Amino acid sequence: MTVRRAVAVTGMSAEDLFTEVYAAIGDPDNVMRVEAAKRLGMAPPRPTGAVFDEARTESAAEALETAVGRAIPAVPVIDGPRLKAEFRSVGRAWSSKGLCSGTEQEVAGILRVNLERDVLRERFEYFAVDVLADDCCAQVSAVYDGVFSGYRIWRTADRLHLCGGGQAILGYGSPEAHGGRAAMWRERGLLPRPHAEAARGKKARTGQLLDELFAIGVSRGFVPGGEVDARTREIGAELDRMGGLRSMLGAHEVVRAELDGTHARRLEFAWDRIGRWLG
């Protein structure tokens, strides 16, 4: 059966079809896996005997060492078509903009820079390192105040492949699931985020506060249960100290643009009588 015919019969997209096919030929219990892979010009993932259980640490160095020394070796080697399918899936969920490929040393160096920045994140909690068997990859997640920044690493025959840095609300999926573009959270591959310059200048600090306002807005709201969220008021007061009413108005406009008018009105109420703000 041709790809065109298979798409017509199943109603699936070509990308989803190949993802399903690859899952089938990657199943060790499928007796036709080798023949099917050969006819499609694809290779099933190579199994690995290594076993890995999730590890948590507050140290960027330890998270990196665990990922490179233990998690990545437990990941099966995959080929180009499977890598492309997996990256497309993650790219949609995390708004990831690029895939970095290189030697183990090169990829570890890029990951190290990102993890060291995540430690500086406001209310950083810990790193979680794990192996996602169904996705044929290792994942390192920086968790902070209900939000995580995730990195995934795959293996092909001669290289490692890394993507990530995209943020998501724990238990809520990606920022896009909430209707906003969440531009201040969008990653540009593995380039620094607005909050990466932690504690260096008003612009960097404002970026941190905007990130946190977004997380509060979609996870618990600015006025949960009719009571003003205390942290929301603290953020308003800090913005007022940094730049007065102008800074607060700027943050309010970001909330309106990235979330919606309802969140913006609730934020107005939560900030009532902070500095010159009248909700």
Side-chain angles (χ1 to χ4, degrees):
M1 180 180 292
T2 65
V3 173
R4 180 179 298 178
R5 176 62 177 161
V7 168
V9 171
T10 64
M12 302 169 65
S13 68
E15 177 184 330
D16 290 340
L17 178 65
F18 273 102
T19 299
E20 289 295 322
V21 169
Y22 204 92
I25 66 176
D27 181 1
D29 295 326
N30 183 354
V31 296
M32 292 297 293
R33 64 194 296 265
V34 175
E35 180 62 23
K38 181 179 179 181
R39 292 187 183 187
L40 290 169
M42 303 167 73
R46 300 181 198 167
T48 173
V51 177
F52 185 88
D53 294 321
E54 182 187 81
R56 295 186 177 185
T57 177
E58 297 178 6
S59 165
E62 186 175 342
L64 181 67
E65 181 179 354
T66 301
V68 174
R70 294 174 47 212
I72 293 174
V75 172
V77 176
I78 60 177
D79 65 2
R82 181 59 185 268
L83 174 64
K84 183 180 295 186
E86 293 296 344
F87 173 65
R88 284 176 178 171
S89 175
V90 173
R92 286 195 298 268
W94 287 351
S95 300
S96 179
K97 298 296 184 182
L99 184 67
C100 173
S101 302
T103 65
E104 179 180 302
Q105 183 176 8
E106 290 168 339
V107 170
I110 294 172
L111 182 58
R112 177 186 294 107
V113 170
N114 282 268
L115 298 184
E116 289 175 349
R117 287 171 178 152
D118 285 331
V119 170
L120 301 177
R121 175 79 180 172
E122 176 108 359
R123 299 193 179 186
F124 168 80
E125 296 177 24
Y126 60 86
F127 292 109
V129 184
D130 203 359
V131 169
L132 307 183
D134 291 342
D135 299 315
C136 298
C137 69
Q139 178 167 309
V140 182
S141 300
V143 180
Y144 41 91
D145 196 30
V147 178
F148 77 89
S149 187
Y151 307 89
R152 286 192 177 183
I153 307 102
W154 295 272
R155 287 200 300 161
T156 54
D158 59 347
R159 302 175 78 76
L160 295 183
H161 309 270
L162 169 69
C163 81
Q167 294 146 324
I169 315 297
L170 290 176
Y172 287 83
S174 70
E176 279 73 9
H178 303 278
R181 289 175 54 237
M184 71 249 192
W185 275 16
R186 285 189 180 280
E187 301 301 321
R188 302 180 184 277
L190 296 170
L191 297 179
R193 294 185 293 279
H195 63 257
E197 301 293 329
R200 292 221 304 257
K202 289 184 179 180
K203 184 175 181 180
R205 181 58 181 158
T206 298
Q208 289 182 318
L209 295 176
L210 288 175
D211 278 0
E212 193 172 355
L213 274 178
F214 189 94
I216 292 171
V218 298
S219 61
R220 61 180 183 266
F222 303 123
V223 192
E227 297 291 331
V228 174
D229 178 72
R231 179 57 187 157
T232 298
R233 285 192 64 83
E234 291 173 1
I235 292 173
E238 184 170 348
L239 287 168
D240 181 59
R241 290 193 297 272
M242 291 169 57
L245 183 60
R246 175 178 293 184
S247 290
M248 295 179 71
L249 286 170
H252 177 266
E253 183 56 36
V254 168
V255 168
R256 180 187 300 278
E258 301 300 336
L259 292 174
D260 54 39
T262 299
H263 281 87
R265 287 190 293 275
R266 290 173 180 168
L267 182 61
E268 291 172 12
F269 177 78
W271 279 355
D272 187 35
R273 299 188 184 281
I274 294 177
R276 293 164 54 198
W277 189 275
L278 297 178

